Amino acid sequence: MPLSPARLRTMLDTLTRQYGVPGAAIAVWAGGELKEAAAGVCNIETKVPATAETLFQIGSITKLYTAALAMQLVEEGKLGLDQPVRKVLPDFAVADEEASGKITLRHLLNHTSGIDGDFFKDAGRGEDRIAKYVRLLKNVEQIHPLGAMFSYCNAGFVVAGRMIEVAAGKGWDKAIRERIAKPLGTPAFSTLPEQAMRHQTAIGHVGQPGALMVTPIAYLAQSNAPAGSMPMAKARDVIAFARMMMNEGVAANGTPVLSAESVHRMHLRTITCPPQMNIDAIGLGSFLWDWNGDGHYEVFGHDGSTIGQAAWLRYHTESETAVALLTNGGNGKGLADEVLAAIFSDAAGIAPPEPPAPAGQGMPEVSRLTGTYAKASGTVEVSVKEGMLIALHKPAPDFAALQGTYAVELRPVSETLFTGTMPGYTRPATYHFLEEDAQGRALYLHTGARAHRRVV
């Protein structure tokens, strides 16, 4: 059945209720047409209806914009992908001095720097907030050696944002408005609350579906904006970015934003993710997927998550199909799974694969897997209880407002891969146990797109 605006509205309305999502907006580019819909409310207390004009926080979809800004400056010769960060930021430092001198812009954009990326210290507000944040990184440890693996790194994108500021000679906020939002024709795209307040905005909701509350913290730290802490947009604004990327860097209004070569570089695999993870590979800022299993990456995009809000962007260049889904709480992941599968199946004849299935029987030898794994955001304690492997997630104090303590039952897929579903959600996450320490135990637990290093 063709995707009509009425069908899109009905689908979104039904699924927001099903998955306990307070409000959502979606924009779809397919068959050369833009279709939009919204459902639910911006705020469960005020009950203001969400519409296609509502701004939601797009979270880490912002990283695509930051990567595009960096690629513009690479084109202009003001930045180099493989030059050390210190060529642009001489005082840049993390705890590991050797890594400090060798980390490059490429390492930042493809999440291989090894920096413990969930360092969310608030460096305040003002035009110097990003520079202040970067100076705070001097004591941040490495999770893994430079270039050794993919581990999602918010901090790296803030460093990239500071490099953009120095190379462009202007603040990141102004650069993204002048170099990306304006050429795309998306004036509502906002990086600061005082910009967003000109429009209707959605607030995040925290808690489990059925017991949600308006988040007491509207935004993450402004100093983390290049990684996605602040930007808000309409769903159609995000589609405008995707259309530019599907059109070799040229916006729908004919304005060149990136060169075709830069788009290609953003879409080119730089590192592969652990097998059967929910992301297949990483380009420069971009997530890459091989949905049809032919060995090539044909779907691109990014996810975003802030306090009580979550967003998804997927685009398939071959069929010129793009979907932007923005939500403000509840089980948005369950909603996204159904929406993306339905729309891409209809419009592009392609759909995301099912999560890896647990093995039919038996439990691998788990003595090498149990222990405590940690990073800045918290710990994961893996133990065996009543014959079941359990992962107990405990947030660090600075992260308690984002996520409480919770336990997940892990079911084996293979000797080193398990799946488990967190409370209130329907899609299982992957838990990869990687490498070995001197005692033959797993050295890393890779889950939530992040590596956690064994500490016990």
Side-chain angles (χ1 to χ4, degrees):
M1 182 187 300
L3 181 67
S4 66
R7 183 184 170 210
L8 187 62
R9 284 193 299 271
T10 299
M11 179 194 304
L12 193 63
D13 184 65
T14 300
L15 293 177
T16 51
R17 296 173 189 273
Q18 178 180 334
Y19 289 101
V21 174
I26 189 170
V28 178
W29 179 260
E33 295 181 354
L34 178 69
K35 302 175 180 69
E36 300 176 277
V41 297
C42 299
N43 181 319
I44 60 174
E45 294 179 356
T46 65
K47 296 182 171 50
V48 173
T51 74
E53 303 302 318
T54 302
L55 272 60
F56 289 75
Q57 293 181 31
I58 65 170
S60 288
I61 292 175
T62 303
K63 290 182 174 69
L64 293 176
Y65 291 71
T66 296
L69 278 173
M71 295 308 294
Q72 288 179 343
L73 293 162
V74 169
E75 292 173 12
E76 297 167 14
K78 296 176 180 177
L79 289 176
L81 283 171
D82 297 308
Q83 284 186 327
V85 172
R86 282 183 171 173
K87 290 287 186 179
V88 181
L89 308 178
D91 297 330
F92 168 72
V94 290
D96 186 314
E97 175 57 26
E98 183 178 2
S100 299
K102 292 183 177 180
I103 293 171
T104 66
L105 178 60
R106 187 186 300 274
H107 291 127
L108 302 178
L109 296 183
N110 70 3
H111 302 273
T112 60
S113 69
I115 300 171
D116 194 336
D118 290 332
F119 180 76
F120 283 133
K121 294 295 184 183
D122 191 342
R125 305 188 181 197
E127 294 188 357
D128 62 346
R129 69 193 191 282
I130 294 170
K132 286 181 176 178
Y133 173 92
V134 172
R135 290 197 291 270
L136 294 175
L137 294 174
K138 62 182 182 298
N139 295 319
V140 174
E141 302 285 346
Q142 296 291 108
I143 283 289
H144 61 75
L146 177 63
M149 66 177 69
F150 157 73
S151 182
Y152 195 75
C153 184
N154 285 293
F157 270 78
V158 186
V159 177
R162 179 57 184 155
M163 294 175 71
I164 288 165
E165 291 187 327
V166 172
K170 62 186 66 175
W172 177 85
D173 299 272
K174 183 175 287 187
I176 202 168
R177 288 197 302 272
E178 293 182 356
R179 287 173 164 264
I180 305 290
K182 185 176 180 180
L184 289 178
T186 56
F189 182 94
S190 302
T191 62
L192 295 166
E194 55 265 35
Q195 297 166 355
M197 68 187 298
R198 300 172 299 166
H199 307 273
Q200 184 185 87
T201 60
I203 190 69
H205 297 82
V206 295
Q208 301 299 324
L212 294 173
M213 61 176 286
V214 172
T215 174
I217 304 170
Y219 297 94
L220 294 168
Q222 288 192 13
S223 50
N224 289 52
S229 64
M230 297 298 298
M232 302 191 75
K234 302 173 185 178
R236 80 170 75 102
D237 294 346
V238 182
I239 289 295
F241 183 93
R243 290 184 63 191
M244 178 271 294
M245 294 294 287
M246 293 191 296
N247 192 35
E248 298 188 327
V250 179
N253 59 19
T255 304
V257 178
L258 285 175
S259 69
E261 175 62 21
S262 290
V263 172
H264 174 70
R265 285 184 170 190
M266 288 180 67
H267 288 166
L268 188 66
R269 178 185 64 84
T270 63
I271 191 161
T272 304
C273 298
Q276 295 183 277
M277 205 180 100
N278 64 328
I279 310 164
D280 293 332
I282 308 296
L284 293 176
S286 301
F287 290 172
L288 283 55
W289 290 272
D290 174 18
W291 282 359
N292 61 15
D294 66 356
H296 300 282
Y297 304 107
E298 68 281 333
V299 178
F300 310 98
H302 212 288
D303 297 349
S305 181
T306 62
I307 301 180
Q309 299 200 47
W312 291 264
L313 172 64
R314 300 286 184 273
Y315 56 95
H316 181 236
T317 301
E318 183 178 343
S319 66
E320 295 189 15
T321 302
V323 178
L325 173 66
L326 313 179
T327 66
N328 65 346
N331 183 7
K333 290 184 179 180
L335 169 62
D337 284 344
E338 289 214 35
V339 165
L340 294 173
I343 293 175
F344 277 98
S345 294
D346 281 358
I350 191 171
E354 293 295 320
Q361 59 183 5
M363 172 74 78
E365 170 55 48
V366 296
S367 60
R368 63 176 295 271
L369 310 180
T370 57
T372 300
Y373 304 81
K375 64 187 313 295
S377 53
T379 61
V380 184
E381 299 174 5
V382 179
S383 62
V384 178
K385 293 183 179 179
E386 299 179 356
M388 178 70 70
L389 202 63
I390 304 293
L392 180 64
H393 294 251
K394 293 183 176 180
D398 289 345
F399 287 79
L402 295 176
Q403 179 66 66
T405 298
Y406 62 96
V408 176
E409 293 184 353
L410 302 186
R411 302 184 181 279
V413 176
S414 69
E415 293 289 328
T416 59
L417 170 60
F418 290 68
T419 63
T421 305
M422 67 180 292
Y425 291 86
T426 50
R427 184 181 182 88
T430 53
Y431 289 73
H432 290 84
F433 294 88
L434 306 176
E435 301 189 14
E436 291 185 352
D437 66 7
Q439 288 75 48
R441 304 173 302 176
L443 182 58
Y444 298 101
L445 170 57
H446 201 291
T447 188
R450 294 156 169 83
H452 301 66
R453 190 180 181 94
R454 178 185 288 276
V455 294
V456 177

